[in-house]
Amino acid sequence: AVTLASSLLLSGCGSSGGVPDAPTAPATTTSTSSSTTTTAKGPTESCLCVFDIDRTLTGTQGDTTKCPDNLEKKGVADIAYGLQSHGDLTLSALAQHVGDTFCAACYRGICSSGVSSGKNDKEREVLLQAIGGSNASLSSTWSDAHIGGVKSALVLNAQHGAKEKAVRQIVDWFATQDVLIPDKQVYFFDDDEGNVKPFEQTGFNAHHVSCVTRDTQRGSSVGYCGATPAEVKRTSGVTVCQASEMV
């Protein structure tokens, strides 16, 4: 999703066939007073899941009434979508349960259009841990797509409507780490259709998420509660939310 604030938070799946063995680590669960978060284990297959941040890994700040499965992280600021929306970081259902999806077996990354201020280490750390930590991404370094280029699997400031370019660079970066991932085993998830449809003809898979809850104050172009684990499917091709699903 597009982040409108000028300063933001951060920011193949079968046989390996000659690709070095992926690192593994035991899955763990962390209990909180309101939910249980599953931490994904390390990659075991040569596939890659890349997630958008705002309204994909996160939901609307502080709203756990409309979004009862979301988890507010008190004291961790999230200024996505400007001063009228900023508040405490609120993790989507997906962010709490990446380890319960097929992506638990894959390498994982982040691709956001948000601008990195370099001032919100807490939010970046929470989001990195949500996708499985550096064991899943092979790095804890965040890259700015416009300044310095993509040098990790954690990418900020990616061009809205052209995230497929940043995802290509993420795949290329993994190759420099001796991890070769076929295009058909790359899966991207974003709440904004404008970031999903450009993946057509790339060979990558991309899926529109947060379909059931949309932010009507922003013309429903972005999600509201964020993605759910059920939306993260091992489906080939590019899919977008249907009008009948969107609320």
Side-chain angles (χ1 to χ4, degrees), residues 186-202:
V186 175
Y187 300 83
F188 175 70
F189 302 93
D190 197 302
D191 67 291
D192 190 329
E193 180 179 342
N195 288 322
V196 173
K197 294 198 74 173
F199 277 77
E200 294 174 347
Q201 309 304 319
T202 64

Side-chain angles (χ1 to χ4, degrees), residues 99-164:
D100 296 330
T101 71
F102 82 91
C103 292
C106 301
Y107 293 88
R108 281 147 258 153
I110 285 174
C111 182
S112 172
S113 294
V115 180
S116 175
S117 68
K119 296 179 181 178
N120 198 345
D121 292 337
K122 285 186 178 180
E123 186 169 14
R124 293 198 301 271
E125 179 60 23
V126 170
L127 293 169
L128 175 56
Q129 291 307 313
I131 67 166
S134 57
N135 190 50
S137 64
L138 299 190
S139 175
S140 59
T141 298
W142 293 78
S143 298
D144 187 312
H146 283 179
I147 303 174
V150 174
K151 299 178 181 179
S152 70
L154 308 171
V155 178
L156 306 171
N157 208 14
Q159 182 181 349
H160 179 256
K163 287 186 176 180
E164 73 283 358

